[in-house]
Amino acid sequence: MSRDRLRPAINVFLKDQRRVAGYAWGAAALAYLYRQLGMATRVGSKSICGCLTLLQAWIYEYFPLFRPSQILQAPDAPRASSWVCHRFAGGDDARQRLVRYRQMLDEMSGEDVSWTPYGRDAGTEVLRSLYTGVIRFADVAEGYDPARCRRQFGYRQTIPRTMMVPKDVYRPASCSTYIVFWEGSMDQLWGNLLSHFLHIAIDSDLCEYPSEADEDYMDWYRTRSHPRIINPDSSGVSLQRPVLVDEVSYVIIVQFLMYC
């Protein structure tokens, strides 16, 4: 899938127009995007595909430092269409912006994130967003675990339970073959939502401030993540934060998030 083109395989889902509206297209788009994000972290990867409009809009919502200008839209207009994006030329300027964006990401703190851009009740208003399990599109299945981002729902971040682990994976440096297999029972979780929701003690787990986390969470996070993009042994001068954002910036954010 790229721009306005689709893989022929998707036609099988469009044959019966009466059923199209009943499919979980949001989950399908997210599963496919998750797979592409995984493939984009491979050494041999030079591009990324999937619903990048969704990814780009998500970055603008949660990371104010990287937001472009925004215009007023009609109430029924797509939320993402309010962002006014700009395209920049490549060359040396692009490389300089790349360095600048990396520095910005490394200097970010919890206060630089808009944790609940859709409101503190997003989880209860869209109940499926609290589902824990596997989401899929055709042969693409990826894990979905809201426990790893509780602050996006207005709740204090805790150390997540043991991560869902696929039955088998094959993720070579080259993207020509990238396979993830899940237990057959995992595919059935979507149809039994109430048994697989993120369970939260509503009163006690609410954030007192947006970036709140348990005391031991950051220590746990640092041992399992790459919290910096730039080598800490290298020296550099902080550059002024830019006003506009281009495609390079959100690809760098994607890489940062996938490594965390």
Side-chain angles (χ1 to χ4, degrees):
M1 289 179 278
S2 177
R3 296 185 180 179
D4 58 349
R5 294 176 292 175
L6 297 174
R7 292 191 303 172
I10 200 174
N11 290 333
V12 67
F13 301 103
L14 306 177
K15 287 183 177 180
D16 188 345
Q17 295 295 314
R18 295 169 299 180
R19 302 183 60 183
V20 169
Y23 294 139
W25 291 107
L30 194 59
Y32 190 80
L33 179 59
Y34 280 1
R35 175 59 56 85
Q36 296 303 317
L37 289 174
M39 294 175 66
T41 64
R42 301 299 91 188
V43 173
S45 177
K46 297 181 180 179
S47 61
I48 183 173
C49 62
C51 188
L52 298 186
T53 300
L54 172 63
L55 175 62
Q56 192 171 6
W58 179 87
I59 291 169
Y60 295 159
E61 294 282 359
Y62 285 93
F63 298 90
L65 294 177
F66 298 90
R67 287 176 181 170
S69 55
Q70 194 172 16
I71 60 175
L72 292 175
Q73 293 286 84
D76 58 345
R79 184 176 178 123
S81 64
S82 66
W83 301 108
V84 182
C85 304
H86 302 266
R87 182 182 293 274
F88 295 94
D92 292 338
D93 288 343
R95 284 187 285 273
Q96 292 175 6
R97 285 197 302 275
L98 176 62
V99 173
R100 185 160 64 247
Y101 293 145
R102 284 175 172 172
Q103 291 177 333
M104 290 170 61
L105 287 167
D106 281 353
E107 293 170 1
M108 283 179 61
S109 70
E111 304 307 313
D112 293 317
V113 179
S114 176
W115 293 100
T116 54
Y118 306 111
R120 293 175 65 92
D121 298 324
T124 55
E125 291 181 0
V126 185
L127 198 57
R128 283 182 182 269
S129 62
L130 295 179
Y131 161 78
T132 299
V134 171
I135 55 177
R136 69 174 303 152
F137 167 70
D139 60 335
V140 175
E142 292 289 335
Y144 178 86
D145 189 0
R148 295 176 61 84
C149 54
R150 289 164 55 103
R151 286 176 286 191
Q152 294 186 27
F153 300 100
Y155 300 108
R156 185 181 68 256
Q157 183 63 57
T158 59
I159 295 177
R161 60 192 175 94
T162 304
M163 292 180 58
M164 294 178 294
V165 180
K167 181 179 180 181
D168 193 16
V169 296
Y170 182 64
R171 298 171 176 148
S174 170
C175 294
S176 58
T177 305
Y178 186 103
I179 303 173
V180 180
F181 292 106
W182 296 87
E183 290 285 355
S185 58
M186 296 294 284
D187 277 349
Q188 308 304 319
L189 298 184
W190 184 256
N192 190 17
L193 293 178
L194 295 180
S195 298
H196 303 281
F197 269 33
L198 173 63
H199 297 291
I200 297 174
I202 301 299
D203 295 330
S204 61
D205 285 357
L206 285 174
C207 284
E208 294 184 7
Y209 52 92
S211 60
E212 184 182 8
D214 284 353
E215 291 185 4
D216 51 354
Y217 171 75
M218 289 307 300
D219 290 336
W220 173 89
Y221 173 80
R222 292 188 183 98
T223 61
R224 292 162 174 79
S225 176
H226 300 269
R228 294 289 182 270
I229 296 177
I230 299 176
N231 188 331
D233 294 332
S234 63
S235 60
V237 180
S238 296
L239 301 177
Q240 184 178 1
R241 290 172 172 172
V243 176
L244 302 179
V245 179
D246 65 355
E247 293 181 356
V248 173
S249 68
Y250 75 78
V251 169
I252 294 305
I253 296 176
V254 169
Q255 294 173 339
F256 171 75
L257 293 174
M258 290 303 297
Y259 291 139
C260 288

